[in-house]
Amino acid sequence: RRVHGGIRFSVMDEDGDIEEHWAPFMGAAPDLPHSGSWDSQGYVAPYVATPKDKVVSLLTLLDITSQDVIYDLGCGDGRVVLEAAKRWGARGVGIDLNESLVARAAAKAQAESITSVEFRAGDIFDPSLDLSSATVVFLYLLPEGLEMVRPILDGLAQKGRLRAVVASSWPLKGSSMHEQRIADLEAYLYRTHSQ
């Protein structure tokens, strides 16, 4: 359920115990033009870390290689791009509004001597954000945020290097890319028509 500036949710742990969590909304800075339509103070996603096994499974499905450039929009602690770099030698860019999460991700990359990734504090809807080098984009956004980013991704799929998009939890409705629902991973995989 939504609470001021975030979302409160329950998670069942491995022992069957229920844990209560609160996550701040992340995504779009409240001072940008589109943010007036949000009831969550302008943010488009709560921070919810994707389990490592899910990250590895999704990256495996994508046939990641060292030629890929992974962008994680709303990267949180950076686990998607870090895992892609460690396992497959891919390059990666993680972007998040939360500066402390960006600092944590950068510190982890430095501690593990991973130099093929970078993390930026920023708004994924900033019009100056250049995604043209992306071959794969990961997203965990609420449906309204996905609707806002879909035209950008469809444009990249048609004229850029983009070959795949992963949307966790909700579909990228109306996308021109080929959709594959991965039910057991609660994700949607979109591939360009050239794939």
Side-chain angles (χ1 to χ4, degrees):
R1 73 187 171 260
R2 291 179 187 219
V3 293
H4 181 70
I7 188 169
R8 185 164 301 285
F9 58 98
S10 302
V11 176
M12 184 178 298
D13 67 16
E14 295 162 350
D15 299 324
D17 297 322
I18 303 293
E19 297 177 358
E20 290 289 321
H21 294 274
W22 179 84
F25 282 102
M26 300 294 164
D31 60 344
L32 290 178
H34 66 270
S35 62
S37 64
W38 295 99
D39 64 355
S40 57
Q41 297 182 332
Y43 300 110
V44 295
Y47 168 61
V48 179
T50 304
K52 185 177 176 182
D53 59 334
K54 180 177 178 178
V55 169
V56 171
S57 295
L58 288 167
L59 290 170
T60 301
L61 281 172
L62 292 168
D63 297 320
I64 298 300
T65 72
S66 61
Q67 301 303 306
D68 280 306
V69 179
I70 315 294
Y71 272 70
D72 188 358
L73 305 182
C75 69
D77 62 7
R79 64 183 60 197
V80 170
V81 294
L82 288 168
E83 201 62 38
K86 283 192 294 192
R87 288 183 185 253
W88 292 280
R91 291 175 290 143
V93 178
I95 302 167
D96 204 291
L97 266 183
N98 187 319
E99 291 181 14
S100 65
L101 288 172
V102 170
R104 184 188 323 170
K108 187 166 185 164
Q110 184 176 11
E112 296 185 26
S113 299
I114 300 171
T115 59
S116 61
V117 299
E118 68 175 285
F119 297 97
R120 303 177 196 157
D123 185 332
I124 64 172
F125 295 110
D126 183 335
S128 67
L129 179 63
D130 181 8
L131 301 174
S132 62
S133 65
T135 59
V136 175
V137 173
F138 265 74
L139 304 161
Y140 177 74
L141 300 176
L142 298 173
E144 296 87 352
L146 289 169
E147 184 178 323
M148 291 171 65
V149 79
R150 180 191 46 75
I152 297 164
L153 297 174
D154 281 344
L156 286 171
Q158 291 172 5
K159 64 182 178 194
R161 298 180 58 212
L162 187 67
R163 66 178 184 85
V165 173
V166 174
S168 189
S169 299
W170 294 283
L172 196 57
K173 291 184 178 177
S175 175
S176 62
M177 293 178 276
H178 173 73
E179 178 184 290
Q180 178 185 0
R181 183 170 181 250
I182 316 293
D184 58 325
L185 296 175
E186 297 179 21
Y188 295 82
L189 174 59
Y190 295 86
R191 295 186 193 266
T192 61
H193 296 290
S194 62
Q195 292 290 302

